[in-house]
């Protein structure tokens, strides 16, 4: 809409310039009028230009002083062939109306009264011209309301789409985390129950072998094979249970990379990673806490900060790991731990760690979440 109003105003002044140049022979007065119109066209645009400059107050002041004065001059001097109305400039200023420029409404209405006595216009003619200016000014105001409503609707649609992407990503991560926790719980439970059952079976078979009296050779042979089979089944079950519990959680770095890939796919947000080349073997609870902090930090960066760029850094030290997630979103005036971050803070603190949130208004603006968790009795990843 801004460009449409801009085009109407441009058309108004180009038409006046064309009439000046085409309607009279070249003279000093013609050159003066061309310069006047050119200044009236260009100078206000130094303060308002679609998408770049938005000082509406000074635009309106200069439009009235330069364009309005030329309009009055063209009316007062009947020899000018470029007589024109002031409707499109009135529409433009109405479109740019703000609380600081409410004086525009009476100003455009009263312009005809400046030359009423000089041209000996009747009150009816003067009021008619003023009413036309006022009408176009209100048309501009209406166009501004329509443009603002359209802009707000587009912003709302974009925000809804962003929130939908965020919710989709958040739901997928919650589902994945829940499945991991349930898989870990089930693997431990299966190991405890089935492991003991298999051990009991082996002990019973050993006793049977020792007590077998009839057909000792054949019975002993069968029981030995059964025992071997039971041991094989126990080993297989342990392997399966181990894979169930450790398949998805064997590497924190791979999980973070996978989380980042899904985050980029779901939200389209720029995300950079700084991950160590070697990894430490850490407990399941620590791994889950780190992933939840990352997830919550990503969510808050988009939902509250409207961030467009994020950076994640994970570092392993001798005694602890450190996670930093920073974004370029809107800085936080008052640092506040919402429900999600509060839950994560408590979870990290239960593991002996700490979680801090900081936000600055410098250049560039950065909001940072830093998490540190001690590594108790851990070894380099892959060692027993």
């Amino acid at each position: 809409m801004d460009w449409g109003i801009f085009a109407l105003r441009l058309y108004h002044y180009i038409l006046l310039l064309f009439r000046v140049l085409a309607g009279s022979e070249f003279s000093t007065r013609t050159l003066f009028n061309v310069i006047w119109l050119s200044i009236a066209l260009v100078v206000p645009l130094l303060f308002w230009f679609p998408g770049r400059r938005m000082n509406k107050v000074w635009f309106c002041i200069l439009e009235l002083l330069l364009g309005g004065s030329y309009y009055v001059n063209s009316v007062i001097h009947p020899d000018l062939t470029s007589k024109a109305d002031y409707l499109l400039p009135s529409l433009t200023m109405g479109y740019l109306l703000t609380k600081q420029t409410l004086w525009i409404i009476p100003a455009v209405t009263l312009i005809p009264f400046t030359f009423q006595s000089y041209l000996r216009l009747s009150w009816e003619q003067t009021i008619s011209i003023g009413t036309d200016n006022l009408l176009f000014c209100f048309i501009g105001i209406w166009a501004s309301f329509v443009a603002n409503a359209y802009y707000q609707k587009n912003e709302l649609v974009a925000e809804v789409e962003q929130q939908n992407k965020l919710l989709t990503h958040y739901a997928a991560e919650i589902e994945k985390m829940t499945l991991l926790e349930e898989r870990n719980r089930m693997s431990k439970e299966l190991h405890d129950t089935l492991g003991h059952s298999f051990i009991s079976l082996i002990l019973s078979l050993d006793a049977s072998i020792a007590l077998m009296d009839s057909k000792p050779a054949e019975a002993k042979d069968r029981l030995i094979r059964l025992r071997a089979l039971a041991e094989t089944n126990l080993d297989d079950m342990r392997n399966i249970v181990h894979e169930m519990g450790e398949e998805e959680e064997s590497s924190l770095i791979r999980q973070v990379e996978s989380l980042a890939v899904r985050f980029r796919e779901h939200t389209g947000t720029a995300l950079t990673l700084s991950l160590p080349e070697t990894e430490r073997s850490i407990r399941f609870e620590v791994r889950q806490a780190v992933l939840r902090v990352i997830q919550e930090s990503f969510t808050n960066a988009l939902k509250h900060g409207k961030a467009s760029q994020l950076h994640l850094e994970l570092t392993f030290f001798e005694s602890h790991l450190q996670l930093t997630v920073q974004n370029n979103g809107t800085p936080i005036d008052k640092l506040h731990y919402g429900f999600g971050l509060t839950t994560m803070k408590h979870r990290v603190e239960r593991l002996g760690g700490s979680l801090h949130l900081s936000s600055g208004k410098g250049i560039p603006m950065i909001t940072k979440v830093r998490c540190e968790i001690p590594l108790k009795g851990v070894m380099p990843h892959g060692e027993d």
Side-chain angles (χ1 to χ4, degrees):
M1 185 68 77
D2 285 4
W3 285 104
I5 299 298
F6 175 83
L8 288 175
R9 180 178 180 273
L10 183 64
Y11 164 79
H12 172 79
Y13 282 102
I14 290 178
L15 182 62
L16 292 181
L17 284 169
F18 178 78
R19 289 178 177 175
V20 169
L21 294 173
S24 60
E25 294 181 358
F26 184 79
S27 63
T28 303
R29 186 176 187 82
T30 301
L31 179 61
F32 177 75
N33 288 330
V34 169
I35 294 175
W36 193 344
L37 281 172
S38 300
I39 293 175
L41 169 63
V42 174
V43 172
L45 294 180
L46 298 177
F47 296 91
W48 177 76
F49 193 88
R52 295 189 179 181
R53 295 177 287 274
M54 296 299 291
N55 192 331
K56 299 178 181 179
V57 176
W58 274 105
F59 173 88
C60 293
I61 292 174
L62 292 172
E63 174 61 48
L64 278 174
L65 290 177
L66 299 174
S69 60
Y70 183 85
Y71 166 63
V72 173
N73 178 68
S74 66
V75 173
I76 292 176
H77 294 82
D79 57 318
L80 288 178
T81 59
S82 60
K83 286 185 179 179
D85 53 54
Y86 203 61
L87 300 180
L88 291 181
S90 297
L91 185 146
T92 303
M93 289 187 288
Y95 179 78
L96 299 176
L97 187 71
T98 65
K99 291 182 179 180
Q100 291 76 28
T101 58
L102 287 173
W103 47 267
I104 287 174
I105 298 176
V108 297
T109 306
L110 295 176
I111 285 179
F113 291 90
T114 60
F115 51 78
Q116 178 191 15
S117 59
Y118 184 85
L119 297 180
R120 297 179 181 179
L121 298 177
S122 65
W123 281 101
E124 182 179 352
Q125 291 175 308
T126 305
I127 293 174
S128 175
I129 298 173
T131 303
D132 289 342
N133 290 345
L134 182 63
L135 175 61
F136 271 74
C137 183
F138 276 112
I139 291 175
I141 295 173
W142 171 81
S144 177
F145 280 128
V146 172
N148 288 334
Y150 182 76
Y151 176 75
Q152 291 173 1
K153 185 203 75 170
N154 287 342
E155 272 197 334
L156 182 61
V157 169
E159 184 175 355
V160 169
E161 289 179 354
Q162 182 68 20
Q163 293 298 325
N164 285 339
K165 290 180 180 179
L166 194 60
L167 287 173
T168 301
H169 170 72
Y170 195 70
E173 290 305 314
I174 288 178
E175 181 180 2
K176 184 173 181 293
M177 292 292 187
T178 303
L179 289 175
L180 283 175
E181 290 181 351
E182 183 63 16
R183 178 177 292 185
N184 185 70
R185 185 192 66 79
M186 290 180 62
S187 66
K188 290 179 179 179
E189 185 175 345
L190 287 172
H191 181 272
D192 293 341
T193 57
L194 293 179
H196 288 299
S197 299
F198 275 104
I199 292 174
S200 299
L201 175 60
I202 293 171
L203 293 175
S204 299
L205 290 172
D206 285 341
S208 299
I209 293 172
L211 296 174
M212 188 65 62
D213 293 328
S214 60
K215 296 183 180 180
E218 182 179 351
K220 188 174 183 178
D221 183 67
R222 287 187 177 183
L223 289 173
I224 289 174
R225 290 199 303 269
L226 186 58
R227 184 183 186 280
L229 179 61
E231 286 182 325
T232 302
N233 289 341
L234 177 60
D235 292 336
D236 291 341
M237 181 60 68
R238 281 176 174 168
N239 290 335
I240 292 173
V241 170
H242 179 74
E243 290 175 2
M244 286 177 59
E246 298 296 328
E247 178 185 11
E248 290 290 336
E249 59 188 63
S250 58
S251 172
L252 176 60
I253 293 178
R254 284 200 298 269
Q255 283 186 273
V256 172
E257 290 174 341
S258 176
L259 179 65
V261 169
R262 291 194 299 273
F263 179 79
R264 294 189 190 103
E265 289 177 352
H266 283 292
T267 66
T269 305
L271 169 62
T272 56
L273 301 177
S274 178
L275 302 175
E277 294 182 359
T278 59
E279 183 176 348
R280 307 288 296 276
S281 178
I282 59 179
R283 292 172 294 161
F284 174 80
E285 293 80 4
V286 174
R287 184 179 294 109
Q288 292 297 95
V290 171
L291 293 174
R292 289 292 177 88
V293 171
I294 294 174
Q295 180 186 20
E296 188 67 27
S297 301
F298 286 177
T299 301
N300 288 341
L302 290 189
K303 183 177 180 181
H304 302 299
K306 311 296 182 186
S308 60
Q309 294 181 346
L310 291 91
H311 177 71
L312 182 151
E313 181 176 359
L314 178 65
T315 308
F316 286 97
F317 294 96
E318 185 66 25
S319 60
H320 67 280
L321 68 80
Q322 178 176 289
L323 169 71
T324 303
V325 181
Q326 63 185 36
N327 67 79
N328 66 342
T330 304
I332 304 172
D333 294 331
K334 296 182 179 179
L335 296 181
H336 173 68
Y337 289 85
F339 176 78
L341 279 177
T342 299
T343 302
M344 292 303 99
K345 182 178 174 66
H346 292 164
R347 186 168 187 163
V348 169
E349 289 175 348
R350 282 198 300 269
L351 297 172
S354 61
L355 186 143
H356 302 283
L357 174 65
S358 61
S359 183
K361 296 184 178 180
I363 300 177
M365 298 180 295
I366 294 178
T367 299
K368 181 185 297 184
V369 177
R370 191 180 77 255
C371 170
E372 294 184 357
I373 301 178
L375 303 175
K376 298 179 180 178
V378 299
M379 299 173 294
H381 184 66
E383 294 185 10
D384 295 328

